Amino acid sequence: MSSREIILGRIRRALTDVPRTEVPRDVPVYRAYLRVHGDRTPEQTTELLAENLADYRAVVHRCTETELPSRIASLLAERGSRTVVTPAGVPAEWLARCTEVERVPEESTGRQLDAVDSVLTGCAVAIAETGTVVLDASADQGRRRITLVPDHHICVVRVPDQVVDSVPQALERLAPERPLTWISGPSATSDIELDRVEGVHGPRSLEIVLVSD
Amino acid sequence: MSGAEPFPEAARVSVRNAQLRSNLRHATHTIRAKRAKAVAELADWGRLRAAGAAIKDRTLRHLDHYLEQLESAVTAAGGQVHWAVDADEANRIVTRLVKATGETEVVKVKSMATQEIGLNEALAAAGIRAYETDLAELIVQLGDDRPSHILVPAIHRNRTEIRDIFRHEMGHWGRPAPEDLSDSPAELAEAARLHLREKFLRAKVAVSGANFMVAETGTLVVVESEGNGRMCLTLPETLISVVGIEKTVPTWRDLEVFLQLLPRSSTAERMNPYTSTWTGTTDGDGPREFHLVLLDNGRTDTLADQVGRQALRCIRCSACLNVCPVYERAGGHAYGSAYPGPIGAILTPQLRGTASALDASLPYASSLCGACYEVCPVAIDIPEVLVHLRERVVEGGSATRDGARVTIKPAKGHAAERAAMRAARWAFEHPRALRAGERLASRTRGLHPTRLPGPGAAWTASRDLPRVPPEPFRDWWQRTHGGREAK
Amino acid sequence: MRVALFITCVNDALYPGTGRAVVTLLERLGVEVGFPAAQTCCGQVQYNTGYRHQTEPLVRRFVDAFAEYDAVVTPSGSCAAMVRDNYPRIGQRAASEGRGGELTELAGRIVPKVHELSEFLLDVLHVEDVGAYFPHTVAYHPTCHSLRMLKVGDRPTRLLRAVKGLELVNLPGADECCGFGGTFSVKNPDVSAAMGADKVRNAVDSGAQVLCAADNSCLMHIGGTLSRRGGGPRVLHLAEILASTEGNVS
């Protein structure tokens, strides 16, 4: 007998108290919890997102679509970044004002990325109640490692379109077959005396640009 | 580890370790207050908790169905699924998979399952070096120590001890710590970042666990803070995930409950810094090979116990440890397994059985204060299961071991207690005899010693005995209200 | 309404003063109390130590002893919780072992009748000011089973606040277990003593003259630790404070 058959057999014997006719949905799950915590206008939702992102030490910026290129240029300049990795789907105009910065392709290896100063991406969805941005590896977000190895991540969120209130709303928008990365503030640890310290392995600086039309 | 000393003996030593007591007190009290605040933010916490428990119960009652569904979804997405009946088999599978890649080192994400099965030791015996990459696990590994907490395995160490470990040991494992390393948590984290980065960039194989596995989609979820998980899950070419079969949830939508319950219960955050989900393999992104090892190792035996099976709902948040007054004083090592604290006290004696003196002592490692049940995000009634397992220890009875029904004999060493319990029950069934006994105690009260010999010394070593009153309540009632009752 | 006192085995043998206080208090409030002599023990120690089968005869005796009463009042949060939480559970387990529904039926009969003292005063008698006088500073230790199993909430402190002359002071770490835990106190004496020492330190730090709780078993442990240490507040059951009057202070 294979281990698979042994385990499945043990499970079936362990569940002799479960009636043979019972199907999973016969076990009640009451989803009486809230879809959204609170009643907010889209502006208030964006406000809450900004607040919660900042609470976990992400740096939040707001600008319009037309201001975005100059804002990105100034963020990279302030940081002194000379190289920036961007996935293919990031619009060229986002970097139009960055004349001094070398654009690195997302196909780079981990070691190559380790020498890159910054990464610039979009996102799939942002969650206001938790201060989270979710990347789903779409063309403007790229493969997972590019937002991991460099020490500085600039993530552009379109507001209000890409912002939802809650975790349940976010899951509805996301495709499980895509690799997802949920990011809530920069890398952190609570491993020393259960006190939160920002910055271990992922980008230690997370800048979120909320872009409105 | 199951040959280790019983809980009370281990705790006798740890409770006297002032440094440990102060480290644990500081850490658990810090997180306790934060958790309460994070939970209070959600008006529907009780409803989320009930839904979390119900989803897990649904899964457990139909676990065979969900595991088969999970297996086909993972396979369809390009993963390979392996089944391991016990720790040995899981270790053999992982060793074989690593050897097939030709590599002799792996990077690891913190995983309770691989600690439970002793994977690092098994890999070492096969000539494969496993590098722990979670900061706390790194501290434990460098310090040649054992984890003592589910979420924060090095909770028993304070910042100064951690600095000393980094200074002395990092150089033996790779990039040394800077000479002038201070004990500031930020500097310690920076040292770990530099030390581990070279390992991440070089690694070809990673081993992880998972917090959740979604049966309908074949998606695995790892919830973390530091980014070491992301490194392990995305940089290497081969990923091997060892996951307990009870980590399954039926649907993608079910994550909406657990991704709210877990972060607030464990690190007391609205959301942890990083959560990764992946389904099989993705072209050009992340590992080219993905292996899922489904682990039983006592879980099906636990499932067979209708009272005890609720322990399989556990999502390893560690909230119960952080509120437990016994854990706070005894420390995690006294529990003698990968699972310390209240959840360990009900999980270990079910996964391993109650045959060893240590495992038989675990259900008693609780004052039944109920703080664990109150904070559990999936409503595991830990006190109920503790009492149930105490019964198995003292009364014996029917249980399942390695898939077979067996009759457990009452544990040794409880004969005197059993006799005392019977005698007490007899007296309680005979109120007149009870009254006579009480009167005798009252009449001889002048002769009672203040310190007792034998088992009574366990009380009088630290506490005075109450003075026996001149007359029991019954006699007072009879004297003042006598004849008023028919009975 | 026929009201019975369930004294509990510990109070009967070691703390009769608490029982006398309950009787005094209830009679002062115009309640005629009965004391069925057939009562003994709720079985909590047996049950919590793992001797469920030894507990079953005590469940039967308990239900039988109080059969003629409408309400059972007890000055012990943990004994009330034993009946309310665990009697139905004992019934279910017996049924799942194929021994029928007798114990479940008995539990169903007794559970609605049983009230811990503060519950009885506030929920049944609807009295908050019991007319007591107690001119001391008091810290209240909520005890785990009252707090988490019975969920008595602020009932005891509402009663205490209404006592004339009494000043209620904050007990640091009040919600934390004192370390008694029945047989836990002797099976894990070192951890139990460490918990007791911390509770006692908090009790001393509170500056109270009296440490009050609604469970004498916890107070036996705390009081025994205090007495060994010397100094600090004296311990007193809630009932004894509520029974105190200007003419007769506990």
Side-chain angles (χ1 to χ4, degrees):
Chain A
M1 216 193 305
S2 72
S3 296
R4 181 183 187 279
E5 286 165 47
I6 292 172
I7 293 172
L8 290 172
R10 285 182 179 183
I11 292 171
R12 286 171 192 137
R13 283 199 304 282
L15 294 169
T16 45
D17 59 308
V18 176
R20 282 174 168 275
T21 52
E22 184 181 294
V23 294
R25 65 169 178 281
D26 293 339
V27 186
V29 174
Y30 297 108
R31 297 186 191 268
Y33 49 86
L34 303 171
R35 302 299 297 166
V36 178
H37 297 89
D39 189 14
R40 289 177 287 266
T41 63
E43 285 73 43
Q44 288 170 324
T45 301
T46 301
E47 206 45 58
L48 181 65
L49 172 67
E51 215 174 276
N52 283 338
L53 280 164
D55 193 28
Y56 287 156
R57 305 283 193 280
V59 181
V60 182
H61 310 276
R62 304 188 71 155
C63 69
T64 62
E65 185 84 47
T66 43
E67 291 165 345
L68 183 61
S70 59
R71 182 55 68 94
I72 288 171
S74 68
L75 292 180
L76 289 172
E78 279 162 29
R79 172 95 187 170
S81 294
R82 293 170 174 280
T83 49
V84 60
V85 59
T86 50
V90 160
E93 63 265 30
W94 285 11
L95 285 168
R97 307 287 288 270
C98 305
T99 46
E100 304 290 296
V101 180
E102 183 197 344
R103 194 168 166 170
V104 178
E106 67 162 307
E107 292 75 18
S108 308
T109 64
R111 255 177 222 289
Q112 289 165 331
L113 290 169
D114 197 31
V116 172
D117 297 321
S118 300
V119 54
L120 170 67
T121 69
C123 77
V125 66
I127 310 168
E129 288 182 3
T130 57
T132 304
V133 293
V134 186
L135 310 184
D136 73 353
S138 294
D140 65 341
Q141 297 148 53
R143 55 200 69 190
R144 287 169 284 174
R145 64 168 172 260
I146 64 166
T147 54
L148 173 63
V149 181
D151 204 15
H152 176 223
H153 181 193
I154 302 173
C155 181
V156 176
V157 181
R158 295 180 181 282
V159 302
D161 300 2
Q162 289 190 309
V163 185
V164 297
D165 285 280
S166 66
V167 171
Q169 289 177 341
L171 281 161
E172 274 170 12
R173 283 205 192 186
L174 293 163
E177 63 278 9
R178 307 190 71 91
L180 303 182
T181 306
W182 298 46
I183 300 171
S184 310
S187 157
T189 182
S190 302
D191 279 354
I192 301 165
E193 300 177 11
L194 267 168
D195 228 351
R196 186 177 155 120
V197 182
E198 274 77 25
V200 199
H201 303 296
R204 285 177 291 187
S205 300
L206 174 65
E207 301 200 71
I208 307 284
V209 186
L210 306 178
V211 184
S212 47
D213 296 335
Chain B
M1 271 197 289
S2 55
E5 58 189 344
F7 184 87
E9 272 83 86
R12 178 166 304 143
V13 178
S14 52
V15 89
R16 283 173 174 73
N17 181 338
Q19 181 69 66
L20 175 71
R21 283 277 293 280
S22 126
N23 293 355
L24 278 175
R25 185 181 160 78
H26 171 71
T28 56
H29 283 251
T30 305
I31 194 76
R32 220 180 266 187
K34 284 190 195 165
R35 188 212 74 97
K37 199 167 153 239
V39 165
E41 276 187 12
L42 298 190
D44 58 340
W45 185 258
R47 285 169 275 170
L48 279 167
R49 181 178 189 245
I55 292 167
K56 285 285 185 177
D57 283 350
R58 174 183 283 183
T59 315
L60 292 171
R61 286 175 76 86
H62 297 277
L63 191 57
D64 51 340
H65 161 76
Y66 286 121
L67 287 174
E68 287 181 307
Q69 194 186 13
L70 175 75
E71 179 187 42
S72 53
V74 169
T75 310
Q80 293 179 53
V81 177
H82 313 261
W83 300 70
V85 168
D86 55 21
D88 281 349
E89 186 174 16
N91 289 333
R92 280 199 306 273
I93 293 169
V94 177
T95 306
R96 176 170 53 77
L97 291 171
V98 176
K99 286 206 158 165
T101 66
E103 294 295 317
T104 54
E105 57 179 47
V106 301
V107 285
K108 278 190 70 202
V109 194
K110 186 169 95 67
S111 134
M112 298 309 299
T114 58
Q115 220 164 76
E116 173 192 325
I117 62 175
L119 177 64
N120 291 7
E121 294 75 11
L123 288 174
I128 299 161
R129 202 162 193 193
Y131 294 111
E132 293 292 350
T133 65
D134 170 76
L135 178 52
E137 292 281 8
L138 175 70
I139 297 164
V140 167
Q141 190 170 44
L142 294 179
D144 194 20
D145 199 352
R146 284 185 294 140
S148 72
H149 189 279
I150 289 174
L151 173 72
V152 198
I155 194 170
H156 55 288
R157 300 287 198 186
N158 67 17
R159 59 187 70 190
T160 313
E161 295 172 282
I162 295 167
R163 182 204 55 195
D164 294 346
I165 291 168
F166 278 13
R167 270 195 193 155
H168 296 138
E169 301 299 331
M170 262 187 178
H172 303 303
W173 290 75
R175 182 176 174 144
E179 285 289 322
D180 57 348
L181 182 67
S182 83
D183 65 0
S184 98
E187 270 192 46
L188 295 171
E190 166 74 11
R193 177 184 174 96
L194 295 171
H195 176 80
L196 287 171
R197 181 136 307 206
E198 58 170 36
K199 296 194 163 49
F200 289 133
L201 295 177
R202 173 174 90 202
K204 296 279 190 288
V205 183
V207 175
S208 85
N211 295 92
F212 308 102
M213 305 187 284
V214 181
E216 81 175 336
T217 60
T219 307
L220 270 74
V221 182
V222 163
V223 171
E224 54 140 350
S225 294
E226 294 168 11
N228 63 309
R230 293 180 66 193
M231 291 278 180
C232 293
L233 299 173
T234 54
L235 293 181
E237 289 165 7
T238 301
L239 171 62
I240 305 164
S241 300
V242 182
V243 190
I245 51 175
E246 84 286 11
K247 296 280 146 206
T248 314
V249 297
T251 67
W252 178 250
R253 188 188 172 186
D254 294 328
L255 293 176
E256 72 187 21
V257 175
F258 296 106
L259 290 181
Q260 295 192 75
L261 289 173
L262 181 54
R264 289 179 198 260
S265 298
S266 60
T267 48
E269 292 164 311
R270 290 184 199 100
M271 189 59 83
N272 48 291
Y274 297 134
T275 296
S276 298
T277 76
W278 73 97
T279 307
T281 54
T282 306
D283 284 341
D285 188 353
R288 279 179 294 194
E289 253 188 62
F290 169 54
H291 297 274
L292 172 59
V293 182
L294 294 173
L295 178 70
D296 178 348
N297 204 36
R299 285 161 178 75
T300 52
D301 292 343
T302 308
L303 187 67
D305 186 315
Q306 290 174 39
V307 177
R309 74 166 58 132
Q310 58 184 308
L312 297 175
R313 288 185 202 145
C314 175
I315 57 173
R316 311 283 189 264
C317 71
S318 73
C320 62
L321 280 66
N322 297 333
V323 297
C324 178
V326 177
Y327 174 84
E328 183 190 328
R329 275 115 188 146
H333 293 154
Y335 295 82
S337 88
Y339 304 105
I343 188 64
I346 62 168
L347 206 48
T348 306
Q350 297 200 84
L351 295 178
R352 295 202 299 222
T354 49
S356 78
L358 165 63
D359 293 341
S361 75
L362 288 175
Y364 292 93
S366 166
S367 64
L368 303 180
C369 85
C372 48
Y373 177 36
E374 194 173 55
V375 298
C376 177
V378 285
I380 301 169
D381 191 340
I382 293 176
E384 179 191 20
V385 182
L386 286 167
V387 169
H388 173 66
L389 294 172
R390 290 176 184 189
E391 180 184 323
R392 179 167 303 164
V393 172
V394 296
E395 290 193 338
S398 177
T400 305
R401 296 309 312 155
D402 301 324
R405 291 302 279 178
V406 293
T407 301
I408 307 264
K409 282 189 201 138
K412 287 177 196 142
H414 290 263
E417 175 186 285
R418 207 171 295 123
M421 288 291 170
R422 278 206 199 104
R425 192 210 68 194
W426 185 86
F428 289 141
E429 284 190 278
H430 298 83
R432 282 182 192 191
L434 179 67
R435 190 170 161 190
E438 286 172 354
R439 278 188 188 153
L440 182 66
S442 289
R443 284 198 200 115
T444 56
R445 59 200 283 261
L447 308 171
H448 295 174
T450 52
R451 298 207 185 206
L452 297 175
W459 179 273
T460 57
S462 67
R463 294 154 286 214
D464 285 342
L465 284 167
R467 295 196 43 184
V468 174
E471 70 178 347
F473 178 82
R474 269 167 215 281
D475 282 5
W476 174 81
W477 178 270
Q478 186 61 35
R479 209 157 48 69
T480 57
H481 294 69
R484 220 165 80 179
E485 298 309 312
K487 283 198 172 185
Chain C
M1 184 172 62
R2 289 160 305 169
V3 179
L5 167 67
F6 170 49
I7 181 68
T8 82
C9 57
V10 167
N11 289 327
D12 181 18
L14 296 173
Y15 301 98
T18 298
R20 293 196 299 268
V22 175
V23 173
T24 306
L25 172 65
L26 292 181
E27 288 178 348
R28 193 171 79 214
L29 295 170
V31 178
E32 192 187 325
V33 200
F35 180 80
Q39 67 174 284
T40 55
C41 168
C42 65
Q44 185 185 184
V45 173
Q46 287 81 352
Y47 182 78
N48 280 349
T49 312
Y51 298 89
R52 176 169 56 90
H53 292 102
Q54 302 271 346
T55 316
E56 291 179 357
L58 300 176
V59 173
R60 291 194 188 88
R61 164 166 290 276
F62 189 96
V63 177
D64 191 43
F66 295 104
E68 292 170 18
Y69 291 88
D70 304 306
V72 181
V73 188
T74 183
S76 164
S78 65
C79 298
M82 168 68 191
V83 175
R84 206 178 291 170
D85 270 33
N86 292 330
Y87 278 20
R89 206 169 261 155
I90 289 166
Q92 281 166 19
R93 295 282 292 143
S96 79
E97 287 165 355
R99 292 189 285 119
E102 177 229 349
L103 285 163
T104 302
E105 194 268 323
L106 290 177
R109 227 189 290 161
I110 195 73
V111 165
K113 291 191 201 174
V114 172
H115 308 274
E116 181 274 332
L117 178 64
S118 71
E119 294 175 328
F120 184 74
L121 294 172
L122 283 155
D123 304 348
V124 181
L125 299 185
H126 305 289
V127 184
E128 190 160 323
D129 181 351
V130 297
Y133 173 73
F134 192 73
H136 299 290
T137 50
V138 174
Y140 179 72
H141 169 56
T143 74
C144 302
H145 292 176
S146 294
L147 187 69
R148 301 195 185 87
M149 289 173 84
L150 290 182
K151 299 188 171 30
V152 300
D154 64 354
R155 288 180 185 82
T157 47
R158 276 162 64 197
L159 292 162
L160 286 171
R161 278 180 214 285
V163 172
K164 228 167 85 184
L166 186 151
E167 189 197 339
L168 195 61
V169 300
N170 179 52
L171 176 67
D175 291 1
E176 289 171 38
C177 178
C178 69
F180 173 62
T183 48
F184 173 76
S185 61
V186 288
K187 283 179 180 281
N188 278 285
D190 299 273
V191 179
S192 170
M195 289 162 69
D198 288 345
K199 180 58 73 182
V200 158
R201 187 169 36 76
N202 284 328
V204 172
D205 289 350
S206 76
Q209 294 166 312
V210 173
L211 181 73
C212 167
D215 231 314
N216 275 329
S217 41
C218 306
L219 288 179
M220 176 169 75
H221 167 72
I222 300 170
T225 308
L226 269 166
S227 140
R228 178 63 56 86
R229 173 188 176 280
R234 68 182 170 120
V235 299
L236 208 53
H237 192 282
L238 175 70
E240 294 176 57
I241 293 180
L242 298 181
S244 296
T245 52
E246 301 218 25
N248 189 7
V249 174
S250 285

